[in-house]
Amino acid sequence: MIFRPKRDLAGQLAIAMMAVTLICLILSVLCFYVIYGILYLTKAEGPIRPSDFFLDTYDMLALGLAGVTGLAISSFVAVNLGRRIARPLRSVGRTTRRIALGDLTARATIEADAPDEAAALVADVNRMAERLETVANSVVTWNAQIAHELRTPLTILKGRLQGLVDGVFIADQRTLSSLLKQADGLSRLVEDLRVVSLSDSGRLDLQMTSVDLAGEIESLVHFVEPELQAAGFNIALNLDTGDTTIDISRTRQAILALIENARRHANPCTLRVGLHLSDKQIVITVIDQGPGLPPEFVSRAFGQFERADVAKSDGRAGSGLGLSVVQAITTAHGGEIAYSADQSGTGFCITLPRTPFALVT
């Protein structure tokens, strides 16, 4: 280990200021001799005796007093300035060491007399610490939520399979269809988790292709229509035809999430699915007849694992990922999603650019 002597900032500033003061004092004496030498040689100020070049006792006392005073003032100013700069730096150092040891609640302190640069550094470090704490808490919450969401369907699936092994259930078409439905739900949940996590990390890549979106929506509706009809819903389509450049797999996932959200939470009605194409935009709408989102829930409806209280109480709450998945896919396309509620119905509107933003030059 290499020995490194302590180098206090205030001490180093004091030494530097004292050195500057001494240098200035020496230079002033040298300038005195230079000026007297010029005057002696040019006789500009009358005869100058050689003895005038030497400092007498009073000159030495005055020069010494000025030097000591200058050294005292410079060292005082340097020490105080160094302490003003060093205090926030020490606070930042203590905070970063605590963060490195795992204490994400650590924050650096700032004083009123701190220089602007030091104050900005403290503020930046505190923002970084807050962000780290938020991310760490989110990871803990995320892991707990994932475990909770996977536990129920896995428990059901395991129980059914164990029942088949023990001979409690008969391996008929109804039982196998139920198991397949549980597996399908698990697969959808895992895919939703994947989409949201990729979106959060900025790595949700899209495979853009030119497709007939109206035909794709018709195919999707035809696939889910039996389940919707069993829940008391009818489907009304209003689709503009034309080619669009999108990631069709992700877009189908987003539309399916909105339809599933309506099936789960809306009253049985005619579910209206629309597609409007303009020169610049693709507008996809899924509208039902309510009751819609509670007003206090609208602001957090697109958050991960968010569920309205009314959905929790009546047992219709899903994973809480559907709308966050829709938002992630919409954002990846460079679009927006909005919720609306009026007398004509409640629903969601996805607006995407007709020309993908990644392809615009």
Side-chain angles (χ1 to χ4, degrees):
M1 181 177 179
I2 299 176
F3 174 75
R4 184 179 183 273
K6 293 184 66 175
R7 297 176 180 176
D8 180 74
L9 177 61
Q12 291 188 65
L13 282 176
I15 294 172
M17 292 292 287
M18 292 170 67
V20 170
T21 302
L22 287 174
I23 291 172
C24 290
L25 189 62
I26 294 171
L27 287 176
S28 65
V29 173
L30 292 176
C31 288
F32 166 79
Y33 279 107
V34 170
I35 293 172
Y36 263 71
I38 293 174
L39 293 176
Y40 177 77
L41 294 175
T42 60
K43 310 294 185 180
E45 295 293 332
I48 298 179
R49 296 172 307 209
S51 59
D52 292 335
F53 282 88
F54 298 98
L55 299 175
D56 58 21
T57 303
Y58 293 105
D59 292 333
M60 295 290 291
L61 288 174
L63 188 61
L65 180 61
V68 171
T69 303
L71 290 174
I73 293 174
S74 63
S75 61
F76 175 78
V77 172
V79 168
N80 279 275
L81 178 61
R83 288 174 178 172
R84 286 177 56 197
I85 298 173
R87 278 195 296 267
L89 295 181
R90 292 194 185 101
S91 179
V92 167
R94 288 191 298 268
T95 300
T96 53
R97 285 191 292 271
R98 288 173 60 189
I99 292 174
L101 293 174
D103 182 9
L104 299 181
T105 63
R107 298 292 183 271
T109 57
I110 185 170
E111 299 180 7
D113 62 345
D116 291 342
E117 293 79 3
L121 175 63
V122 170
D124 291 340
V125 169
N126 285 340
R127 280 194 295 269
M128 178 194 71
E130 290 173 3
R131 177 60 178 165
L132 287 173
E133 185 179 13
T134 300
V135 170
N137 291 336
S138 297
V139 169
V140 172
T141 302
W142 176 264
N143 290 336
Q145 292 283 11
I146 290 176
H148 174 75
E149 295 301 330
L150 292 176
R151 181 175 55 191
T152 300
L154 283 174
T155 300
I156 295 174
L157 188 59
K158 180 181 177 181
R160 296 287 176 84
L161 291 172
Q162 187 64 48
L164 288 175
V165 172
D166 296 339
V168 177
F169 300 123
I170 300 174
D172 55 11
Q173 183 177 0
R174 180 179 178 182
T175 302
L176 294 177
S177 296
S178 176
L179 292 174
L180 182 60
K181 184 176 181 180
Q182 290 293 331
D184 183 62
L186 274 173
S187 177
R188 186 179 301 177
L189 176 59
V190 170
E191 180 60 22
D192 288 347
L193 290 169
R194 178 173 174 270
V195 168
V196 172
S197 61
L198 287 174
S199 177
D200 284 346
S201 62
R203 294 184 292 178
L204 182 58
D205 297 327
L206 302 179
Q207 302 297 323
M208 310 297 284
T209 56
S210 179
V211 297
D212 175 15
L213 184 54
E216 294 290 342
I217 293 177
E218 286 181 349
S219 175
L220 176 62
V221 169
H222 178 72
F223 174 75
V224 300
E225 192 168 14
E227 189 174 0
L228 289 171
Q229 289 178 345
F233 288 87
N234 294 317
I235 297 288
L237 299 179
N238 182 14
L239 308 176
D240 291 350
T241 58
D243 289 338
T244 56
T245 303
I246 55 175
D247 184 325
I248 186 56
S249 177
R250 298 295 187 196
T251 304
R252 283 171 61 94
Q253 185 179 359
I255 297 172
L256 182 60
L258 292 180
I259 293 176
E260 174 63 19
N261 184 76
R263 185 195 68 81
R264 185 181 294 272
H265 300 291
N267 296 326
C269 62
T270 297
L271 189 63
R272 291 175 288 159
V273 180
L275 171 64
H276 175 68
L277 301 178
S278 65
D279 292 338
K280 296 183 178 181
Q281 291 183 329
I282 304 169
V283 180
I284 304 168
T285 56
V286 178
I287 301 174
D288 56 58
Q289 296 303 311
L293 300 177
E296 69 277 3
F297 180 70
V298 173
S299 61
R300 52 190 180 91
F302 296 98
Q304 298 167 11
F305 300 108
E306 291 288 352
R307 304 174 181 85
D309 293 336
V310 64
K312 296 177 184 177
S313 61
D314 61 15
R316 294 188 296 175
S319 66
L321 286 173
L323 293 180
S324 59
V325 167
V326 177
Q327 185 179 51
I329 293 172
T330 302
T331 302
H333 278 85
E336 298 178 347
I337 180 170
Y339 168 77
S340 63
D342 52 37
Q343 294 180 349
S344 63
T346 63
F348 296 90
C349 175
I350 297 175
T351 304
L352 306 177
R354 186 73 182 268
T355 301
F357 71 100
L359 302 180
V360 176
T361 57

